[in-house]
């Protein structure tokens, strides 16, 4: 507690950890590359330098506020420093802004303009390095890296994966992987959280837009879309809407304009997952198997992490395929049966997640050599397609999903937020259909944005312990406690991204806790507005169990090699 004098203005401070936070409280916007409130302080970019009354300079992000301190944020000396830093960064940058995908959203571009860099005095000094676009999810272009280290810390501090780090010295300094390998050749889980924090075009989503256009233009293909739960509360941000605004009807209308033949909701796949996973959990509880707790399997970044880091736990990971994959298989099966022409069925999944691209491409997610999900485009890629085609998103009239899967349950939609899978599974167990039962579940402790949540609920006279985590680093801590016997759970839900899929790396940028909270609110609002609350009450799901799934239920579960 205390006060500071910032540019002559008296500002009180409370628990702000650094001067930068107090400066922002004063309504002054200092440029930063390497400061993220959710990552550790690095203090490397030096853009947030300030000057005290004796003329000493310091980084405001890494200096705690002191009572009575007097500082200036924009002296001539500081302005000169900032300009020089940007000029030096640009001397090492490839500067192909006109064609760079990040153009218009690039922090380097934005700050260069802000600090008044109008021309670059230095020639381009650095040798051109190869671009790594070999993986399924992320493209890494070291020529655009400004060495802020944000990706290094996101990978380490959010995911505990740590495949990126600094290498070499002096002017050769680089952010890279061990032995400079391609990202897909190291233990990267494709979560994309590195790209969420990257200020430039050094880390980008691997786009599949061109593949989607090719399919849409091919008369011999029927192109079928499935839209993931979290997309509906975020895509509007690309068109000026508030985070959390529910845009499902507009997305459907936009997809029809783009030429999609059939449009469905991945929440139907989530409903199937709820039923299969709840049954699996009950079965394990009743048989008192030693493969407890049961871990959820729907997050592909978590699944890959578990395979790499905890092969001994794979028996504990649910045998359920993810909703994306269950639904892809079901759609293909359904259309094979009802089809009256010989068009090839192509499933395009629209996902908030970069790791879903890798999931869809995994060999076990093909049956007889044909992928269940052919193309995965992220929320941001769909927004690009909408813009490229001159569709005015905000003016679209809302349209309805197609049959035979045109129903959505609230249980399926809440999958998009951390805690949603557990809540949906609990709804399945509690057969009593009163509003107070639903409220009781929502208040059990599984909602909210905390990284680790725990709840104990009673099912059939048994105390069932549920753990909910987001961020793989949090998952790792929980696993350690489970293995050491410090914690006991029956079910553990793991989502890699902050807040669950709403914070996926395919979602619009910028992302922060406030944006994620608003998106989560949108998801719960969509649930409230849905007349169907439980997965088993979704008529599309009932029809599937009475129809194609009677003889094909195995397509909902993981098998090494699908031959069906
Ligand atoms: Fe998700 Fe899922 S909720 S993983 O977060 O289980 O991506 O939205 O589609 O598959 O349904 C993502 C979201 C998504 C799957 C579902
Ligand atoms: Fe690390 Fe995820 Fe980026 Fe891979 S995608 S480098 S795991 S943050």
């Amino acid at each position: 507690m205390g006060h500071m004098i910032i540019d002559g203005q008296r500002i009180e401070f409370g628990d702000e950890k650094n001067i930068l936070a107090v400066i922002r409280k004063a309504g002054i916007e200092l440029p930063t590359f390497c400061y993220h409130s959710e990552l550790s302080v690095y203090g490397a970019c030096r853009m947030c330098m300030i000057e005290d009354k004796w003329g000493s300079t310091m980084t405001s992000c890494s200096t705690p506020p002191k009572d009575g301190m007097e500082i200036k944020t924009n002296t001539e000396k500081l302005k000169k420093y900032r300009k020089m830093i940007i000029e030096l960064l640009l001397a090492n940058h490839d500067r192909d802004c006109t064609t760079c995908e990040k153009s218009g959203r690039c922090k380097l571009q934005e700050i260069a303009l802000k600090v008044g860099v109008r021309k670059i005095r230095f020639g381009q000094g650095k040798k051109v390095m190869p671009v790594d676009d070999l993986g399924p999810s992320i493209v890494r272009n070291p020529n655009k890296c400004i060495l802020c280290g944000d990706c290094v810390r996101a990978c380490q501090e959010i995911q505990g994966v740590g495949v990126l780090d600094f290498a070499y010295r002096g002017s050769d300094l680089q952010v890279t992987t061990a032995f400079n390998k391609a990202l897909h050749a190291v233990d990267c889980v494709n979560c994309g959280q590195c790209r969420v924090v990257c200020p430039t075009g050094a880390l980008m989503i691997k786009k599949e837009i061109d593949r989607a256009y090719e399919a849409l233009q091919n008369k011999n293909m029927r192109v079928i879309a499935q839209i993931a739960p979290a997309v509906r509360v975020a895509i509007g941000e690309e068109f000026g809407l508030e985070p959390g605004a529910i845009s499902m009807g507009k997305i459907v209308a936009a997809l029809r304009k783009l030429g999609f033949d059939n449009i469905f909701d991945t929440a139907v796949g989530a409903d199937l997952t709820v039923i299969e996973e709840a049954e699996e959990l009950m079965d394990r509880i009743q048989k008192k198997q030693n493969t407890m707790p049961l871990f959820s399997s729907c997050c592909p970044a978590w699944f890959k992490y578990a395979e790499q880091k905890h092969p001994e736990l794979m028996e504990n990971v649910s045998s359920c395929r993810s909703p994306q994959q269950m639904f892809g298989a079901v759609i293909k099966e359904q259309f094979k049966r009802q089809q009256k022409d010989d068009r090839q069925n192509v499933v395009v999944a629209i996902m908030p997640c970069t790791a879903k691209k890798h999931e869809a491409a995994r060999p076990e997610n093909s049956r007889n050599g044909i992928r269940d999900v052919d193309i995965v485009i992220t929320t941001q890629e769909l927004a690009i397609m909408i813009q490229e085609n001159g569709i005015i998103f905000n003016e679209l009239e809302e349209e309805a999903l197609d049959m035979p899967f045109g129903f959505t349950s609230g249980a399926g939609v809440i999958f998009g937020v951390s805690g949603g899978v557990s809540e949906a599974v609990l709804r399945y167990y509690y057969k009593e259909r009163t509003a107070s039962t639903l409220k009781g579940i929502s208040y059990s402790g599984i909602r909210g944005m905390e990284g680790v949540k725990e709840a104990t609920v009673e099912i059939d006279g048994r105390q069932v312990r549920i753990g909910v985590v987001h961020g793989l680093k949090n998952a790792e801590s929980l696993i350690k406690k489970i293995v050491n016997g410090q914690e006991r759970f029956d079910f553990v839900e793991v989502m890699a991204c902050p807040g669950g899929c709403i914070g996926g790396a395919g979602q619009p940028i910028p992302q922060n806790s406030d944006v994620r909270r608003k998106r989560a609110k949108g998801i719960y609002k969509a649930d409230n507005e849905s007349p169907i609350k439980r997965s088993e009450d979704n008529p599309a799901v009932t029809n599937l169990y009475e129809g194609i799934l009677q003889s094909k239920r195995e397509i909902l579960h993981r098998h090494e090699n699908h031959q069906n």
Side-chain angles (χ1 to χ4, degrees):
M1 290 286 281
H3 81 276
M4 290 181 67
I5 307 292
I6 302 177
D7 296 338
Q9 197 187 342
R10 183 188 163 103
I11 304 290
E12 306 293 327
F13 64 83
D15 56 2
E16 284 82 2
K17 290 191 181 60
N18 50 47
I19 296 175
L20 182 63
V22 189
I23 292 172
R24 286 184 174 166
K25 197 173 168 186
I28 300 164
E29 192 50 54
L30 277 194
T32 56
F33 289 118
C34 71
Y35 181 74
H36 283 270
S37 55
E38 291 169 334
L39 298 176
S40 64
V41 172
Y42 185 46
C45 77
R46 321 305 282 177
M47 294 302 291
C48 69
M49 296 278 267
I50 49 166
E51 206 176 325
D52 67 13
K53 63 180 175 187
W54 295 284
S56 302
T57 53
M58 64 204 84
T59 48
S60 61
C61 70
S62 58
T63 314
K66 276 195 214 106
D67 192 27
M69 204 172 182
E70 279 180 45
I71 59 150
K72 291 211 167 70
T73 65
N74 257 315
T75 61
E76 284 312 306
K77 180 159 92 178
L78 292 171
K79 283 188 201 165
K80 218 168 128 193
Y81 275 166
R82 287 188 194 125
K83 211 165 160 180
M84 175 67 90
I85 292 168
I86 296 290
E87 283 183 293
L88 290 170
L89 285 175
L90 287 170
N92 267 344
H93 200 75
D94 79 357
R95 303 184 215 159
D96 63 351
C97 298
T98 41
T99 51
C100 178
E101 280 179 42
K102 194 79 173 214
S103 193
R105 296 156 185 239
C106 168
K107 249 186 158 182
L108 180 59
Q109 214 177 39
E110 179 195 317
I111 296 176
L113 268 176
K114 246 187 209 163
V115 303
V117 175
R118 301 285 175 260
K119 68 174 179 14
I120 306 157
R121 283 180 289 157
F122 314 112
Q124 213 152 2
K126 223 166 180 176
K127 67 174 190 293
V128 178
M129 289 175 278
V131 175
D132 169 16
D133 62 355
L134 299 172
S137 303
I138 303 292
V139 177
R140 199 170 71 82
N141 183 348
N143 305 299
K144 293 178 191 282
C145 176
I146 59 168
L147 302 171
C148 63
D150 295 354
C151 56
V152 175
R153 284 172 292 134
C155 190
Q156 185 58 53
E157 294 170 14
I158 300 173
Q159 305 300 32
V161 173
V163 292
L164 294 170
D165 210 339
F166 288 96
Y168 313 109
R169 289 190 172 192
S171 62
D172 290 328
L173 186 68
Q174 267 187 53
V175 168
T176 186
T177 57
F179 305 106
N180 215 0
K181 286 186 185 170
L183 264 185
H184 80 287
V186 295
D187 277 351
C188 166
V189 295
N190 304 299
C191 71
Q193 287 303 315
C194 50
R195 96 107 203 163
V196 171
V197 293
C198 177
T200 67
L203 288 158
M204 298 295 284
I205 298 171
K206 174 93 167 256
K207 307 277 188 304
E208 290 181 64
I209 293 177
D210 289 344
R211 292 189 56 220
Y213 281 138
E214 266 170 43
L216 287 166
Q217 280 150 19
N218 190 331
K219 300 242 171 335
N220 298 318
M221 289 179 175
R222 176 196 302 280
V223 190
I224 305 157
Q226 54 158 308
I227 308 156
V231 177
R232 71 202 66 194
V233 291
I235 195 166
E237 293 161 39
E238 293 286 344
F239 304 100
L241 301 179
E242 267 294 293
I246 305 165
S247 306
M248 191 60 174
K250 287 188 190 299
I251 299 172
V252 176
L255 291 172
R256 287 225 173 86
K257 281 196 186 301
L258 287 169
F260 282 83
D261 295 287
N262 301 85
I263 302 157
F264 303 124
D265 189 341
T266 309
V268 176
D271 283 332
L272 296 170
T273 305
V274 169
I275 295 168
E276 296 299 311
E277 205 154 88
E279 293 290 338
E280 186 180 5
L281 175 60
M282 195 40 86
D283 193 50
R284 291 199 193 200
I285 289 175
Q286 277 164 358
K287 289 185 184 147
K288 299 198 170 27
Q289 290 183 354
N290 56 5
T291 51
M292 295 296 271
L294 178 70
F295 285 89
S296 64
S297 58
C298 52
C299 168
W302 149 242
F303 190 85
K304 186 166 187 278
Y305 178 87
E307 279 179 314
Q308 289 166 180
K309 192 97 192 253
H310 293 287
E312 76 288 357
L313 284 181
M314 289 313 287
E315 281 283 295
N316 294 59
V317 177
S318 168
S319 69
C320 291
R321 299 174 78 195
S322 77
Q324 169 178 269
Q325 294 307 138
M326 283 193 184
F327 200 32
V330 158
I331 291 169
K332 288 248 165 126
E333 211 49 54
Q334 181 81 29
F335 275 81
K336 197 163 77 188
R337 293 196 187 183
Q338 72 180 42
Q339 190 156 320
K340 295 188 182 69
D341 54 40
D342 56 2
R343 281 193 287 170
Q344 184 190 334
N345 293 316
V346 175
V347 173
V348 179
I350 298 149
M351 292 281 141
C353 166
T354 47
K356 286 282 170 196
K357 290 173 182 275
H358 173 253
E359 176 182 89
R362 290 175 64 116
E364 69 271 24
N365 285 329
S366 291
R367 289 177 299 138
N368 298 323
I370 298 169
R371 279 168 60 157
D372 283 327
V373 173
D374 302 275
I375 299 168
V376 178
I377 57 173
T378 57
T379 313
Q380 285 212 317
E381 288 168 83
L382 177 60
I384 292 170
M385 289 175 78
I386 291 171
Q387 279 152 355
E388 279 176 350
N389 285 275
I391 298 168
I392 305 173
F393 189 77
N394 293 350
E395 289 179 12
L396 289 171
E397 289 287 329
E398 303 211 345
E399 291 184 20
L401 295 159
D402 285 311
M403 297 307 278
F405 305 121
F407 304 96
T408 298
S409 85
V413 174
I414 58 174
F415 259 56
V417 60
S418 163
V421 177
S422 307
E423 184 166 346
V425 166
L426 288 175
R427 286 185 193 180
Y428 180 78
Y429 283 132
Y430 284 87
K431 299 295 177 200
E432 203 186 318
R433 269 145 223 278
T434 60
S436 68
T437 317
L438 288 180
K439 210 166 176 185
I441 297 171
S442 71
Y443 281 110
S444 65
I446 48 182
R447 284 197 184 185
M449 288 290 127
E450 300 83 21
V452 184
K453 292 168 281 183
E454 295 170 18
T456 306
V457 290
E458 198 185 305
I459 300 171
D460 294 338
R462 188 184 193 278
Q463 299 294 306
V464 175
R465 287 272 296 149
I466 294 179
V468 176
V469 279
H470 59 88
L472 297 174
K473 192 160 187 191
N474 288 329
E476 186 60 36
S477 313
L478 201 71
I479 289 169
K480 280 210 176 86
K481 287 186 184 161
I482 294 168
V483 172
N484 294 341
Q486 283 169 270
E487 290 275 16
R488 186 200 69 80
F489 291 103
D490 296 288
F491 182 69
V492 178
E493 172 194 320
V494 185
M495 290 289 181
C497 293
C501 291
I502 49 161
Q507 299 276 64
I509 307 283
Q511 297 202 31
N512 54 45
S513 54
D514 187 43
V515 167
R516 290 195 294 268
R517 208 163 282 123
K518 287 180 180 166
R519 289 177 186 165
K521 223 170 146 193
I523 290 274
Y524 289 124
K525 184 164 178 264
D527 171 37
N528 278 340
E529 288 170 358
S530 172
I532 308 166
K533 296 284 186 270
R534 293 174 165 80
S535 300
E536 68 276 24
D537 294 342
N538 185 343
V541 168
T542 327
N543 288 342
L544 279 169
Y545 279 108
E546 287 167 1
I548 58 168
L549 292 176
Q550 286 222 358
S551 59
K552 284 264 179 189
R553 197 158 167 177
E554 76 279 1
I555 63 173
L556 305 181
H557 290 268
R558 263 185 295 125
H559 304 281
E560 278 303 295
N561 278 307
H562 276 282
Q563 294 304 336
N564 314 291

